[in-house]
Amino acid sequence: MMKRAILKISAGLLLGAAVFSANATDITGAGATFPFPIYAKWAADYKSATGKAVNYQSIGSGGGVQQITAKTVDFGATDDPMKGEQLDKIGLLQFPAVIGGTVPVVNIEGVKPGQLKLTGTVIADIYLGKIKMWNDPAIQSLNPDVKLPSSAIVVVHRSDGSGTTFGWTNYLAKVSPDWKEKVGEGKAVKWPAGQGGKGNEGVAAYVKQLKNSIGYVEYAYAKQNALSWTQVKNQAGNFVQPEQKSFAAAAANAKWESQPGMGVVLTDQPGADSWPVTSATFIVMYKDQAKADNGRATVAFFDWAFEKGAKTAADLDYVPLPKDVTDKIRAAWKANLKADGQPLLK
């Protein structure tokens, strides 16, 4: 199991045409577990390149929003984008960092990664407790060539406030009227069935340990924990595999400027190849920086990640942001971030 860890990240480099200096100030961040694998790799690469550091705690999106609101960290991370009125009330700037996919994972003897096929309505009915057995006709009819056990389904969900849960429940609410009416969507919901694990790490660990279980995690957690993910039927009616290509197909529909803080939701997107539970993950930081050096250092790290970390993101099956999007983010940094009433970035 991937351990929840404190990342060593760093800060300071050229940003666009302007120079933003950052000293060796320690930077703190906290939040989403969904991007933890890529943040961890970016952190390691960046520290090797610069030797500078910041601490990132993988505690879940709900915790990330709480920490940044309380001003106990320099940046928060959330997969559930904050609404415009929230950002304005608190005085936060929000921007996307990377795109990835949430995948159903199962522990069924003999079922290989990518073999099982599920639809959104079937997944919703499993999590509603309506489908209780793996050999239920609703599942078996989708998988006539897969031997499914006459065993009870062990449902695993998140126990903490989670952006991954927001994307998961947002998708289920879009494809299942019953789910929308009875459960709805959010970082935390009242689960009709199952048991909770903390973080993507906790859900992955439970599914790996519990036979005949099903859970949902960011794709990198499925691969790194050798879990069997499933295909899911998308809006176009095609069963697709979770992979960088299918996440990118869904992300191609993103209309970033249509939402405050670029807070687009990418679930159930059209397109023949689109993965239906695709999500962006977001960074939030105060527009008015109490510690100018910390603000510059935070910006510098993400600028480096956009410039140097795209291939690494793709290697981990995330989707790096397109250049036109990162250009918009850099412009937002320059226009909105201040310290002592003066622009933070010269």
Side-chain angles (χ1 to χ4, degrees):
M1 182 183 73
M2 189 181 311
K3 294 181 179 179
R4 185 175 292 106
I6 296 178
L7 301 185
K8 293 297 183 179
I9 307 176
S10 52
L13 77 162
L14 294 178
L15 174 61
V19 176
F20 303 106
S21 63
N23 59 24
T25 304
D26 285 344
I27 305 303
T28 60
T33 66
F34 178 95
F36 179 85
I38 183 57
Y39 286 179
K41 187 64 172 72
W42 278 346
D45 292 347
Y46 190 55
K47 186 175 183 181
S48 294
T50 69
K52 300 173 185 177
V54 60
N55 300 321
Y56 177 80
Q57 296 177 327
S58 173
I59 61 172
S61 295
V65 172
Q66 291 173 357
Q67 293 278 355
I68 189 64
T69 301
K71 299 184 178 181
T72 57
V73 293
D74 297 300
F75 67 91
T78 177
D79 309 322
D80 178 5
M82 297 181 70
K83 302 294 187 290
E85 56 269 24
Q86 294 175 293
L87 296 169
D88 291 342
K89 181 178 179 179
I90 302 171
L92 296 174
L93 175 68
Q94 175 176 270
F95 58 89
V98 73
I99 297 163
T102 301
V103 304
V105 288
V106 299
N107 182 349
I108 307 170
E109 186 174 356
V111 174
K112 300 176 182 178
Q115 184 180 14
L116 194 70
K117 295 179 180 178
L118 297 174
T119 66
T121 53
V122 165
I123 294 170
D125 285 347
I126 290 172
Y127 272 79
L128 284 166
K130 294 169 65 176
I131 295 177
K132 299 179 182 295
M133 306 294 289
W134 277 116
N135 64 345
D136 186 286
I139 303 176
Q140 192 69 74
S141 64
L142 298 172
N143 301 276
D145 299 325
V146 179
K147 185 178 180 180
L148 293 169
S150 57
S151 302
I153 300 172
V154 179
V155 175
V156 182
H157 54 74
R158 288 286 288 272
S159 61
D160 53 331
S162 156
T164 307
T165 291
F166 165 75
W168 184 250
T169 58
N170 174 272
Y171 167 66
L172 295 181
K174 286 178 177 176
V175 298
S176 169
D178 201 17
W179 181 273
K180 183 176 182 179
E181 178 185 352
K182 293 180 179 179
V183 182
E185 64 183 69
K187 287 193 289 288
V189 297
K190 186 175 181 180
W191 296 100
Q195 57 186 289
K198 188 172 183 180
N200 273 273
E201 304 94 331
V203 172
Y206 269 130
V207 173
K208 191 167 186 176
Q209 294 166 7
L210 300 175
K211 290 184 178 181
N212 301 310
S213 59
I214 183 171
Y216 58 94
V217 296
E218 196 282 323
Y219 184 46
Y221 288 85
K223 294 181 71 175
Q224 293 181 14
N225 287 279
L227 299 175
S228 291
W229 58 85
T230 79
Q231 300 179 52
V232 179
K233 192 175 185 178
N234 66 14
Q235 189 185 122
N238 299 324
F239 284 98
V240 291
Q241 295 278 4
E243 55 187 345
Q244 206 264 351
K245 174 185 174 182
S246 59
F247 306 153
N253 295 294
K255 296 179 174 58
W256 297 103
E257 294 178 303
S258 67
Q259 297 296 325
M262 305 177 80
V264 299
V265 176
L266 296 172
T267 55
D268 198 34
Q269 291 295 306
D273 299 322
S274 294
W275 179 253
V277 203
T278 299
S279 301
T281 188
F282 299 86
I283 298 300
V284 284
M285 54 190 300
Y286 274 91
K287 292 181 178 180
D288 188 1
Q289 290 286 305
K291 299 178 181 178
D293 287 344
N294 295 51
R296 293 188 189 101
T298 301
V299 167
F301 167 70
F302 286 103
D303 181 70
W304 177 92
F306 295 154
E307 187 69 24
K308 303 292 186 181
K311 183 180 183 302
T312 303
D315 288 345
L316 288 174
D317 297 289
Y318 291 88
V319 180
L321 298 175
K323 184 178 183 300
D324 65 315
V325 177
T326 58
D327 285 347
K328 289 182 174 68
I329 293 169
R330 290 181 174 106
W333 290 338
K334 293 185 70 173
N336 291 282
L337 296 177
K338 293 180 170 53
D340 296 324
Q342 299 299 314
L344 181 72
L345 308 177
K346 303 298 183 181

